[in-house]
Every structure is written in structure tokens, then in C-alpha cells.
């Protein structure tokens, strides 16, 4: 996994350096040796946080997750959905609720998927603010029933997110029996269809953590490892740190301290890289 991180970072740094017409020597000046830049770009070394921040500053990379774009759009209302997504990324859930309550966008939405997207964002904000989880469940159910009937067979990325979100909320309010059926349904469909969306990185993670809570550690580990590898195959960072930590917890419960430590170290590396903000 560390090799995958190194390869991805090296490619990102090299691409931005070339775009700016900068040589390795120019990038390295007063920061590190040219040999170190070469080693990083070839995926041999992973820069520490301080070095990585200096490189990003020189390459004008504003933040490490600038290549992650998993916004959910509403047809003909792209600016509104972009604003909601930006608020969500900044954890401004109160602002999301206020904006969505005070706009007339919902009355103007025509397509089912746009209304579903609206309700998905709204329910996520309610859940994160812990205002009323049951109300968040109601909005997700409204969205789901627009295109699906029980038993649910989600096909699109949006439908999978809706079902997965409902499972998470059911688990939170104590409806474990309902939650497990939804987790299983969306996971089966996800594995079957292999819909490509970074947002779907959450599916294996939530299902695996549900199994962990049920003390089914071996099953949880299998799901989480598969999800971890799938995120790497997608060449994504989104939720990799969370996966690494959950895998470490599974290995701890199964008595494999060496593997647990290995994934805890991977978690630390990922946290440093993914959460790094460059001023």
C-alpha cells in the first residue's frame, strides 16, 4: 500500500512540475536534493509532511485532495449543487440546511435523480448535525421510493448511496435487522455491477464496520480488505485512511499484532497525506 501511495504522489508531483515548466533542480532548490525529487517522482520515496507541504507550495497545489471530485450534481442547477457540495466538504452542515430550506430549488427540480440528490444531501446534513436522525431516515426513504420498490435492487451510484445511507441511519437508531438487509443488498449489487464512483468507496467500509460491531471479525476483515484494495485500484485516497484503521482493528481482534501495526502505520501515513492542507 505504501508503494501505491508513493506511486500516486510521485505522479501527481511530476505532472504539476511539468505543467509549470519546472525542472527537478528548480523544484528541489532550497527544499531538498534533486535526487530526492527524482526518487519521489519515481515512487521510491514518500515525502514526510513538512517536505510534501514545501513541494506543494512551490507547485501551487492548494490541497492534496484537489484531484478528488465526487460531487453529486442536479441537472440545470449545477452552481447550487456545487455550493452544497462545497459546504459538505467543509462540514458546514448548518449552512447546508439553511440554504436548502431557504431556496426554492426543490420546487423547480424535474428529474427523479435530482430530487433524490437533494434529499440525500439534506438527510446527510441532518445526520451530521444530529438534529433528528428519524427525519433524515424519512427523507432518504422518500428519495429511495421514487425509483425503487422493496426488495431493493439499486443499480446507479446514487441509488447505492441512498440505500447505504439508509442502512447507516437504521443502525444508528437501533434497527439492526433492517440495516443488515440493506447493507447486504447494496454490497451485492456493488460487487456485481462495479459502478465506478469514488463516493461508493463507503459501501464496503460501512458494511465491514457493521460486521465488526457484530463481532464477526473474520468476515469484517475480508470485506474491509477487499474494499481497501478496491479503493487502491480506483487510484483514490477517499476513505483509505478509514479503511486502514478498521482493518487494523480487525487484526487486533484476531490476534495478529504484526498486521495490526502494519495497517496502523498505513493509517498514519494516509492521515498525514490526505488531511494535509497547504496554506
Amino acid at each position: 500500500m505504501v508503494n501505491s501511495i508513493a506511486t500516486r504522489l510521485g505522479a501527481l508531483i511530476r505532472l504539476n512540475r511539468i505543467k509549470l515548466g519546472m525542472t527537478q533542480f528548480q523544484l528541489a532548490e532550497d527544499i531538498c536534493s534533486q535526487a530526492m525529487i527524482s526518487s519521489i517522482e519515481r515512487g521510491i520515496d514518500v515525502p514526510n509532511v513538512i517536505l510534501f507541504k514545501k513541494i506543494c507550495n512551490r507547485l501551487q497545489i492548494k490541497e492534496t485532495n484537489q484531484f478528488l471530485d465526487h460531487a453529486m450534481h442536479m441537472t440545470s442547477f449545477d452552481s447550487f449543487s456545487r455550493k452544497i457540495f462545497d459546504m459538505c466538504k467543509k462540514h458546514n452542515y448548518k449552512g447546508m440546511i439553511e440554504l436548502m430550506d431557504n431556496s426554492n430549488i426543490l420546487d423547480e427540480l424535474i428529474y427523479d435523480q435530482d430530487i433524490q440528490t437533494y434529499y440525500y444531501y439534506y438527510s446527510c446534513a441532518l445526520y451530521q448535525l444530529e438534529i433528528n436522525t428519524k427525519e433524515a431516515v424519512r427523507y432518504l426513504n422518500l428519495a429511495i421510493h421514487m425509483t425503487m420498490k422493496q426488495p431493493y435492487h439499486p443499480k446507479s451510484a446514487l441509488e447505492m448511496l441512498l440505500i447505504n445511507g439508509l442502512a447507516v441511519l437504521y443502525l444508528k437508531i437501533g434497527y439492526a435487522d433492517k440495516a443488515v438487509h440493506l447493507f447486504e443488498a447494496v454490497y451485492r449489487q456493488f460487487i456485481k455491477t462495479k459502478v465506478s464512483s469514488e463516493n461508493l468507496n463507503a459501501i464496503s467500509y460501512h458494511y465491514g464496520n457493521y460486521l465488526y460491531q457484530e463481532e464477526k471479525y473474520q468476515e469484517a476483515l475480508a470485506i474491509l480488505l477487499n474494499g481497501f484494495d478496491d479503493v487502491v485500484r480506483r487510484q483514490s485516497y477517499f476513505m483509505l485512511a478509514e479503511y486502514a484503521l478498521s482493518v487494523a482493528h480487525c487484526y487486533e481482534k484476531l490476534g495478529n499484532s504484526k498486521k495490526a501495526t502494519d495497517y496502523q502505520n498505513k493509517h498514519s501515513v494516509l492521515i498525514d497525506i490526505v488531511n494535509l492542507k497547504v496554506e
Side-chain angles (χ1 to χ4, degrees):
M1 175 55 208
V2 173
N3 287 339
S4 297
I5 296 170
T7 300
R8 184 88 192 275
L9 280 178
L12 174 68
I13 289 168
R14 182 176 183 275
L15 177 63
N16 281 273
R17 178 178 63 77
I18 292 172
K19 281 183 178 180
L20 292 175
M22 190 180 295
T23 66
Q24 287 184 347
F25 178 80
Q26 290 171 324
L27 176 56
E29 189 174 5
D30 299 326
I31 293 178
C32 62
S33 68
Q34 181 180 349
M36 175 56 73
I37 295 296
S38 176
S39 182
I40 291 170
E41 289 190 356
R42 287 181 290 144
I44 296 173
D45 286 317
V46 176
N48 61 40
V49 174
I50 295 173
L51 175 56
F52 188 50
K53 181 172 182 177
K54 290 179 178 179
I55 292 172
C56 285
N57 276 325
R58 183 154 294 174
L59 292 176
Q60 302 172 29
I61 300 173
K62 298 305 181 185
E63 55 183 64
T64 59
N65 65 353
Q66 51 88 30
F67 46 82
L68 286 180
D69 182 10
H70 44 276
M72 297 162 60
H73 299 284
M74 302 175 201
T75 307
S76 301
F77 293 96
D78 187 65
S79 61
F80 179 84
S81 55
R82 172 61 64 178
K83 186 179 294 185
I84 291 296
F85 173 67
D86 288 342
M87 286 181 172
C88 188
K89 283 187 70 175
K90 295 174 182 176
H91 311 296
N92 183 9
Y93 305 115
K94 184 178 179 181
M96 288 174 65
I97 294 292
E98 291 175 352
L99 178 60
M100 297 176 86
D101 279 344
N102 294 327
S103 71
N104 61 351
I105 293 294
L106 183 60
D107 295 331
E108 299 181 37
L109 296 177
I110 299 173
Y111 301 105
D112 288 346
Q113 67 180 24
D114 291 341
I115 299 173
Q116 287 177 313
T117 298
Y118 181 96
Y119 283 143
Y120 181 78
Y121 276 132
Y122 199 92
S123 64
C124 285
L126 287 175
Y127 169 71
Q128 294 292 345
L129 288 173
E130 298 187 352
I131 297 175
N132 189 331
T133 303
K134 289 188 176 181
E135 189 73 356
V137 167
R138 186 173 76 86
Y139 282 113
L140 281 181
N141 271 314
L142 282 172
I144 288 166
H145 292 151
M146 295 184 72
T147 57
M148 286 178 284
K149 295 181 180 179
Q150 291 185 331
Y152 300 130
H153 297 289
K155 295 180 180 179
S156 68
L158 176 56
E159 288 178 341
M160 291 183 196
L161 287 172
L162 290 168
I163 297 297
N164 187 69
L166 185 59
V168 171
L169 294 186
Y170 274 154
L171 199 59
K172 183 177 177 64
I173 61 179
Y175 296 167
D177 290 343
K178 290 184 176 181
V180 65
H181 291 307
L182 296 180
F183 279 134
E184 290 173 349
V186 73
Y187 182 74
R188 282 196 303 268
Q189 195 65 16
F190 171 65
I191 294 299
K192 178 181 177 181
T193 61
K194 287 295 182 184
V195 175
S196 180
S197 170
E198 285 184 316
N199 291 317
L200 299 183
N201 292 359
I203 289 177
S204 299
Y205 175 77
H206 285 133
Y207 184 34
N209 276 279
Y210 161 76
L211 293 170
Y212 179 89
Q213 291 177 34
E214 293 294 304
E215 300 183 358
K216 298 178 180 179
Y217 303 125
Q218 198 66 56
E219 293 177 48
L221 179 62
I223 297 294
L224 290 166
L225 282 174
N226 185 63
F228 185 92
D229 291 341
D230 189 56
V231 174
V232 173
R233 283 193 295 271
R234 291 170 185 265
Q235 294 188 322
S236 170
Y237 280 132
F238 183 50
M239 298 201 70
L240 266 184
E242 290 86 347
Y243 269 108
L245 189 59
S246 292
V247 169
H249 288 161
C250 286
Y251 275 125
E252 285 176 357
K253 290 294 185 181
L254 293 169
N256 192 332
S257 59
K258 185 177 182 299
K259 283 286 189 180
T261 299
D262 181 31
Y263 275 88
Q264 285 169 351
N265 290 336
K266 291 174 182 177
H267 171 258
S268 297
V269 172
L270 287 160
I271 285 293
D272 284 344
I273 293 172
V274 177
N275 290 343
L276 174 64
K277 300 295 182 182
V278 179
E279 301 296 339

